[in-house]
Amino acid sequence: MNALSAQNAPAHQANNFDAIRMVAALSVLISHHFALLGQFEPSVLQINTLGGFAVLIFFAISGYLVTASWYNDPNLLRFAQRRALRIFPAYIAVIILTAYVLGSFLTSLPLGDYLSHKLTFAYLSNIWMGLISALPGVFEKNPYPVAVNGSLWTIPYEIKCYIALACAAAVGLLRRRLLWLSLITITLLWYQIRFGPDFHQDWKHFREMAAYFLAGSAVFTLQPLWSKRPALYLGLLIVAGLSLWHSGLRYISFLLVVPYAVIYLGTRSTPILRGFGRWGDPSYGIYLIAFPTQQTIIHFLWPSVGSAGILALSILVTTILAYASWHGLEKVAMKFKPRRPSEQRGVSAPKFLMRFLENGSYRFAFLLLLLGACYITWLIACWPGVLGQDSLATMLEVETNREAQAGKPAFWYLYNLLLYGPWRLVEVPILVQSLISVIVSARILSWMLEQRHFKSFWYCLFFVALAPSVLYYSAALYSDGIYTMSMMGMLFEVWICYRARRINSVSAIMLAITLPFALFARPNGLINAVALIALFFALPKLDRWKLVGMALPWLLVALYANSQFKHRAPIGSIFPLALYETVGFMEHRPMGLWEHNKPRISPKSVEALTSNGKTLEHISKFYDHYYWDPLIFNPAGPALLYLSKEAKTTIIREFFKYNLWHNFPAFAASRVNIFLYSALANGEFRHQTQRNISCRKRSHSRKRNSEVLGRTRNSCFGITSHLSIAPCSGHLGLDFF
């Protein structure tokens, strides 16, 4: 459907395209009105329904304007960005709001059942063109039951047309207009031959829409020919179309006349029609929002309010929501559309963007809302999939008053005791963790924008703040996620304060929030206190007291927790590694390989594992490729944490003495080693980076004469971002760009 997606031509404000799109969008609404009340939709000359005809108009306009956009700036990346910015922001917003706001309000199911229903999550597949139109318990008693948004199905066809045009452009088919016209003609002729003399039923849907899109593209390609006498060519096409109609070729007649007639009218500048866009372009919003709005109004008011009242109210509410969508989302997204290099010279950033970059409160608030929406969407869409065995262990620890222990620090137990214990709602501590992660990410990303580190901003937004692993661990009842995010936030503030030699109010708040989790959520967190100690000695006296004032209360809380909640069975690091890998080595090999499927572990290891009365078969049932926790925490599992000290010592000794070397390929491929490889790679990367820094320092004296040239070059390529503490150089270490 989306001619709306086309880029605005220079004369766009003085033509009739806005009026045509609005009329077409409202025609779809009116056509659906009859269908949703169980009546026949009005038709256009018995060729197509009113709504179907309006959609074809959209495709014709889209073919014309999108082709114009390509010829105006023949760059695939910028072409794709423009299409995505026009299509997806409103499209995704409508899908999410329909599923989790409208659906939650209207469903006949209990809210918990609705949110956890597989069909609710499946509805989000519309984002990647899944074409699911039903939500559980929604609109079940409407005259047209179940369907929530029957307008979305045309969007994938629109995107397919964009992709086809982009592919044709990528291989050079659009470089020669005659070649492109020839291919369009061949395609349309093939449709004619393949689907009969007048396009029978198989012709419908995508093929029909694609034909109108190609016809619109052909009209633009032929514009140098018809632009001098547009009315003359319109008259000739009408005559030809009437002849085809009289011959019985009605679909061919429409295809020949309608695209050119619509574009002819759109390129005119009629006094009344050209003013339709003065308040914005709500046509795309009308198309996306109308169907669920109509179904909602019918749900509440039919049949007490008649058909005419339903229609009038639907048009009013939909139009208001569509204008809100345009001004609140679509228009904002379009301001980020890329410009051609020739347009970028001498063009300053939009005023709202400058205010956004210069005002720290605006930046932080916007990023906080953006990231918060993403995290909440993740939680709702994936719930309760973010809860793993470690989360279960933490919940059991609180519920059993530490009869079952998760092996985490006492501070982590106290945190969950206070937030999970009173209500037994795991959502409470998880929401707090997610909020802290969002605050930390928004703070660092806001600073990057302030410093104009745009490349690092986009990288860290998508591959750090919104990385699936970060979303998962921040939203799980798992101390590693909040520990990592808090450590990142704390070290960032330490670096900021170290550079400024003072603690400002923002850094003070951020340190107060992140410090307890960075130090006490994990057993090895205390090592981060080294950074705080270094900062303490770098600060003036007054700021030292500030730092002590922030750290001391949390230190007292941690000491209290450790004095009140003692660990009965410390886990450590070596035993879990040896235990997890040893049990993993017992997996049977496929096809009878490796000594007829005998476990490749020593007899002493088998004896130690089964010393508490559990069989190897029972232990193997609880081996998980992703977690070692079921071997320890699952209530029905083997509870190997409670093996005797001698058994644990045997498992560790046999692992390094025999089991590791007889299963080294399996160990090398284990997920545990991902962390080892990452640590080694990071160490080498740091070493290489520091060596590069040293080389730059050694060559600094030889570059003094080119200092001005160097500054000019740096200003052209942007500001480098850094990510690890290196106080001596005044940067944060790793150069990403």
Side-chain angles (χ1 to χ4, degrees):
M1 144 40 259
N2 204 348
L4 327 162
S5 58
Q7 300 300 304
N8 293 345
H12 178 72
Q13 295 301 322
N15 60 39
N16 300 335
F17 277 121
D18 283 330
I20 295 175
R21 284 193 292 255
M22 288 182 66
V23 171
L26 290 173
S27 297
V28 174
L29 184 156
I30 294 169
S31 188
H32 284 165
H33 168 77
F34 291 93
L36 294 178
L37 293 180
Q39 303 170 10
F40 288 108
E41 296 183 60
S43 69
V44 177
L45 298 178
Q46 298 183 348
I47 292 287
N48 214 323
T49 64
L50 177 62
F53 181 70
V55 168
L56 296 181
I57 289 175
F58 278 125
F59 272 82
I61 297 175
S62 184
Y64 175 82
L65 293 179
V66 171
T67 305
S69 176
W70 170 261
Y71 279 110
N72 188 47
D73 182 18
N75 179 279
L76 274 177
L77 179 60
R78 292 193 291 271
F79 178 84
Q81 288 175 317
R82 294 185 184 107
R83 305 283 76 74
L85 285 170
R86 190 61 184 101
I87 286 284
F88 286 107
Y91 180 71
I92 293 174
V94 167
I95 290 171
I96 294 175
L97 291 174
T98 301
Y100 291 107
V101 177
L102 182 66
S104 298
F105 180 67
L106 295 177
T107 183
S108 59
L109 302 178
L111 182 59
D113 294 345
Y114 172 80
L115 293 176
S116 61
H117 200 287
K118 61 181 181 180
L119 190 58
T120 305
F121 177 72
Y123 190 82
L124 295 182
S125 67
N126 285 311
I127 294 174
W128 47 92
M129 311 303 154
L131 298 183
I132 302 295
S133 187
L135 285 171
V138 179
F139 302 140
E140 290 180 332
K141 297 182 180 180
N142 280 24
Y144 193 92
V146 178
V148 175
N149 196 337
S151 299
L152 300 182
W153 67 275
T154 66
I155 304 298
Y157 295 151
E158 177 81 3
I159 293 174
K160 287 180 181 179
C161 290
Y162 294 163
I163 294 173
L165 184 70
C167 291
V171 298
L173 297 180
L174 270 66
R175 292 178 184 173
R176 297 180 180 274
R177 299 197 178 209
L178 182 60
L179 176 60
W180 179 235
L181 283 171
S182 301
L183 289 173
I184 291 175
T185 303
I186 292 171
T187 302
L188 295 179
L189 286 175
W190 179 79
Y191 279 160
Q192 167 71 5
I193 296 171
R194 172 66 177 79
F195 299 106
D198 198 24
F199 307 124
H200 298 303
Q201 190 63 32
D202 288 341
W203 161 254
K204 297 296 183 183
H205 302 321
F206 175 59
R207 299 179 184 92
E208 187 175 23
M209 296 171 187
Y212 275 77
F213 182 90
L214 290 174
S217 180
V219 172
F220 175 82
T221 307
L222 288 168
Q223 190 169 17
L225 176 64
W226 60 261
S227 59
K228 296 179 180 179
R229 295 185 177 85
L232 173 63
Y233 285 95
L234 177 62
L236 293 175
L237 286 176
I238 290 175
V239 171
L242 290 173
S243 300
L244 291 171
W245 182 279
H246 188 265
S247 302
L249 300 176
R250 300 178 301 163
Y251 283 94
I252 296 293
S253 172
F254 259 51
L255 180 60
L256 182 66
V257 177
V258 170
Y260 181 84
V262 168
I263 292 166
Y264 168 80
L265 180 60
T267 53
R268 302 303 95 193
S269 182
T270 307
I272 296 178
L273 296 182
R274 70 188 180 197
F276 268 60
R278 71 178 65 173
W279 297 292
D281 181 8
S283 53
Y284 187 37
I286 291 173
Y287 186 84
L288 292 178
I289 298 169
F291 200 101
T293 301
Q294 291 173 271
Q295 284 282 63
T296 302
I297 294 172
I298 292 170
H299 173 81
F300 286 109
L301 300 180
W302 179 260
S304 58
V305 175
S307 176
I310 294 287
L311 178 59
L313 191 57
S314 298
I315 292 174
L316 176 63
V317 174
T318 301
T319 304
I320 293 173
L321 293 175
Y323 271 111
S325 172
W326 168 256
H327 290 286
L329 185 59
E330 299 168 54
K331 183 180 177 181
V332 175
M334 290 301 290
K335 289 182 179 179
F336 291 95
K337 67 181 182 180
R339 296 177 179 271
R340 291 182 301 169
S342 59
E343 294 175 334
Q344 293 173 359
R345 300 189 186 99
V347 176
S348 60
K351 290 183 179 180
F352 90 96
L353 182 57
M354 293 302 297
R355 288 198 301 269
F356 176 76
L357 293 175
E358 293 169 0
N359 191 307
S361 300
Y362 286 167
R363 286 195 311 271
F364 179 78
F366 175 79
L367 291 169
L368 189 71
L369 291 174
L370 173 66
L371 294 173
C374 293
Y375 275 61
I376 290 296
T377 301
W378 167 272
L379 276 174
I380 293 173
C382 300
W383 191 261
V386 298
L387 298 179
Q389 293 289 347
D390 217 60
S391 302
L392 174 62
T394 300
M395 296 159 64
L396 286 174
E397 185 175 25
V398 174
E399 292 174 2
T400 62
N401 196 25
R402 304 210 91 195
E403 290 297 323
Q405 293 196 12
K408 299 295 186 291
F411 175 84
W412 184 248
Y413 171 71
L414 179 61
Y415 166 78
N416 287 283
L417 181 65
L418 295 176
L419 295 182
Y420 173 68
W423 303 281
R424 300 296 173 91
L425 292 174
V426 71
E427 293 89 341
V428 177
I430 283 179
L431 286 174
V432 172
Q433 294 169 216
S434 299
L435 177 61
I436 293 173
S437 299
V438 166
I439 291 173
V440 169
S441 299
R443 157 65 171 158
I444 297 176
L445 292 170
S446 177
W447 178 87
M448 289 179 176
L449 286 178
E450 179 185 11
Q451 302 297 318
R452 304 298 197 269
H453 293 301
F454 296 120
K455 291 182 179 179
S456 294
F457 168 80
W458 289 113
Y459 179 90
C460 290
L461 174 63
F462 290 109
F463 297 106
V464 179
L466 296 179
S469 57
V470 174
L471 290 169
Y472 176 84
Y473 283 105
S474 297
L477 204 61
Y478 193 72
S479 61
D480 288 31
I482 187 62
Y483 164 74
T484 303
M485 296 298 292
S486 296
M487 179 181 65
M488 178 177 68
M490 190 195 79
L491 294 180
F492 176 80
E493 299 303 333
V494 167
W495 176 73
I496 291 290
C497 297
Y498 181 89
R499 291 207 321 172
R501 295 298 192 273
R502 69 184 185 90
I503 300 178
N504 59 37
S505 58
V506 175
S507 293
I509 294 172
M510 293 301 301
L511 286 171
I513 292 173
T514 58
L515 187 147
F517 296 97
L519 295 184
F520 308 121
R522 292 283 296 168
N524 56 349
L526 284 175
I527 196 172
N528 296 317
V530 174
L532 294 174
I533 295 171
L535 176 63
F536 177 85
F537 289 106
L539 293 173
K541 189 172 183 179
L542 180 60
D543 287 278
R544 289 182 182 181
W545 283 110
K546 287 183 182 179
L547 185 62
V548 171
M550 287 181 289
L552 186 59
W554 290 117
L555 179 61
L556 294 176
V557 170
L559 290 174
Y560 168 79
N562 281 280
S563 66
Q564 294 295 315
F565 311 115
K566 297 289 187 181
H567 280 297
R568 296 180 183 174
I571 297 177
S573 300
I574 302 300
F575 173 66
L577 171 66
L579 175 67
Y580 178 77
E581 295 296 334
T582 300
V583 176
F585 296 156
M586 295 193 303
E587 283 191 304
H588 291 294
R589 309 308 184 209
M591 298 175 65
L593 299 176
W594 287 17
E595 299 182 9
H596 305 290
N597 276 342
K598 292 182 179 179
R600 295 180 61 85
I601 62 174
S602 68
K604 291 183 179 180
S605 299
V606 175
E607 182 180 349
L609 288 171
T610 57
S611 61
N612 64 350
K614 305 296 183 180
T615 64
L616 291 181
E617 290 75 14
H618 179 76
I619 294 172
S620 297
K621 288 180 181 178
F622 291 88
Y623 175 74
D624 191 307
H625 284 279
Y626 299 99
Y627 291 98
W628 76 290
D629 305 64
L631 298 172
I632 303 296
F633 302 122
N634 194 302
L640 297 178
L641 179 63
Y642 300 103
L643 292 172
S644 67
K645 183 177 180 181
E646 294 75 14
K648 292 180 180 179
T649 303
T650 299
I651 290 172
I652 295 173
R653 184 178 63 246
E654 291 298 309
F655 174 74
F656 288 105
K657 179 181 177 181
Y658 180 89
N659 299 332
L660 170 61
W661 313 112
H662 284 75
N663 297 272
F664 191 78
F667 175 77
S670 170
R671 68 181 292 272
V672 173
N673 291 291
I674 295 174
F675 304 105
L676 175 63
Y677 302 151
S678 299
L680 292 175
N682 183 58
E684 176 60 26
F685 196 76
R686 284 290 303 275
H687 171 73
Q688 184 68 31
T689 303
Q690 296 300 328
R691 186 170 63 186
N692 291 342
I693 292 173
S694 300
C695 292
R696 289 199 294 269
K697 288 181 177 179
R698 287 196 298 269
S699 62
H700 179 68
S701 60
R702 290 176 290 181
K703 296 183 178 180
R704 292 183 183 273
N705 294 334
S706 59
E707 185 176 359
V708 175
L709 176 61
R711 283 200 299 267
T712 304
R713 181 180 59 195
N714 288 338
S715 67
C716 294
F717 284 92
I719 303 173
T720 306
S721 71
H722 310 275
L723 276 190
S724 64
I725 294 180
C728 60
S729 64
H731 293 291
L732 277 174
L734 299 181
D735 291 357
F736 273 151
F737 301 98

